[in-house]
Each structure stands twice: as structure tokens, then as C-alpha cells.
Amino acid sequence: MATFVLIHGGGGSAWHWRLVEPELRAHGHDVVAVDLPVEDESAGLGDYADAVVEAVGDRRDLVVVAHSWGGFVGPLVCDRVKADLLVLVTAMIPAPGEPPADWWGNTGFSAPAMDDTVAVFMQDVPPDLAAEVMTTGREHAEKALGEPWPLDRWPDVPTKFVLCRDDRFFTPAFMREVVRERLGVVPDEIDAGHSPMLSRPEELAALLESYL
């Protein structure tokens, strides 16, 4: 059995993994879902990784799963603990020394119109759940956004990438190219929008378990 370490994206919380957690626990796995200190004006990227490492404690057989902006944190965790696998779920892939705020321009990201947040990030999430998610959002403090990513190389851990074919934020064609250039791997693709942990929790949990 494995311990799945679940890292949320920007403005999110551990609450966003609440549908995936029981799916994994039902198969005998341990789950650690962490609230990153995104609202803390004094917290940098190292503090985000510290929060995850502290929550993991002395657990072993770790599978670190990072969603969206959490892609800047997952590899830092894997550089500090012995992880068996890193899984990036429609996530940002950092380069050495790259601040998160520079990632958008460096990758050629083209932002969609953001007048309807649900339509961009949760178009396939049940409406009642999407409305509830909108009440849980958190402001992302600036410090961690402007700090250079501290690693000089990708951590020595097998890495998988889950690409969402219906993602309206990190669109498939854009993300396939980023994954190719920055990781050199072929992503696994699922039919989901940007928030598969909310729209396809059973499918995402099954895919995560299939990696073991």
C-alpha cells in the first residue's frame, strides 16, 4: 500500500481532494492532503514544501501528487523526502531558477477570457459542487510567486504527467508541448477539465493507483 501526498493548486486547499481521498483509502492506501500556506505573506516556496514534509512525517512509500500551481511544490517535496513517484496533474512544470510569475511568459501561455471562472476551471464539475468550491478560494500571497524555483535540476524521482483533454485553462495542445520540452515524457490523458479531482475523482484515483 502507498501513501498518496496530495498538493492542491493556486488559491485552493486540501478540501479540493476530498472526493479522491475516500477512493484511495477504500483500496487501503494512506492519504495526506495538505493546506499550503498560500495566504501567508511571509511564506516562500521553501515554506510551502516544509508544510508538506511536516504533514508527511515518517510515512513511507510516498506518491506525491501535485495539481496545477502545485507543480512548483511537488518536486521540492520530492527533493526532501524519499518518494517513489511524482505525479503532476495538469500542472505547471518549473525550470531551475524560474519564478512562478515568469512561467506564463516563458512557456508562451495564452490566458483564456476569465469572466466566468467556473466555465474555465470547472465546466465539467457538478454545478452544486462548483458553487461550493467557489466559496473556498484563498488569495495567493505574492512572495512565493516571485521567488526563483530553488532546484538546479529535476529531482531524481520517476515522474508522470496527467493531461486533461478538456482543460480550458492549460489547453491540451499547449500542455503537450510544455510536457515534451520540460519533462521529455508522453503524458497520460483523461477526458476531464482543469479540476479532475472534482469532476472525475474515481477515474483520477484509479489512474493514480495504476501507477503503483
Side-chain angles (χ1 to χ4, degrees):
M1 298 294 104
T3 296
F4 286 89
V5 182
L6 307 179
I7 301 172
H8 63 79
S13 67
W15 185 93
H16 287 192
W17 293 102
R18 67 183 188 139
L19 300 180
V20 172
E21 284 192 56
E23 295 293 330
L24 295 172
R25 292 188 188 279
H27 289 86
H29 304 294
D30 193 7
V31 179
V32 179
V34 184
D35 281 322
L36 301 177
V38 296
E39 295 170 305
D40 186 346
E41 294 288 351
S42 68
L45 290 169
D47 299 303
Y48 287 33
D50 287 344
V52 180
V53 171
E54 182 178 352
V56 168
D58 61 359
R59 292 175 175 87
R60 296 292 180 265
D61 303 316
L62 305 178
V63 177
V64 176
V65 183
H67 174 244
S68 195
W69 196 93
F72 268 86
V73 181
L76 300 183
V77 174
C78 292
D79 191 57
R80 300 187 186 190
V81 301
K82 182 177 178 7
D84 296 328
L85 182 67
L86 170 61
V87 183
L88 301 175
V89 179
T90 189
M92 298 165 76
I93 305 168
E98 180 179 62
D102 291 352
W103 185 90
W104 315 97
N106 292 345
T107 58
F109 174 75
S110 180
M114 297 296 289
D115 52 323
D116 187 341
T117 302
V118 170
V120 173
F121 293 101
M122 294 181 287
Q123 82 275 12
D124 56 344
V125 174
D128 288 349
L129 178 57
E132 188 176 2
V133 171
M134 293 300 292
T135 70
T136 68
R138 299 191 291 158
E139 291 295 326
H140 207 141
E142 292 295 324
K143 182 176 180 180
L145 303 179
E147 279 190 349
W149 194 63
L151 300 186
D152 58 9
R153 58 171 179 77
W154 199 257
D156 185 20
V157 58
T159 303
K160 296 283 191 179
F161 194 97
V162 179
L163 184 147
C164 297
R165 281 189 286 258
D166 301 321
D167 196 333
R168 295 177 179 177
F169 188 62
F170 291 154
T171 56
F174 163 76
M175 194 51 81
R176 288 187 191 105
E177 185 64 16
V178 173
V179 173
R180 184 189 67 80
E181 289 184 352
R182 296 205 166 193
L183 283 181
V185 303
V186 177
D188 295 310
E189 302 192 9
I190 62 175
D191 293 322
H194 190 71
S195 304
M197 71 286 298
L198 298 169
S199 64
R200 303 285 190 275
E202 299 91 347
E203 183 179 350
L204 180 59
L207 179 59
L208 295 176
E209 189 174 32
S210 76
Y211 291 145
L212 300 180

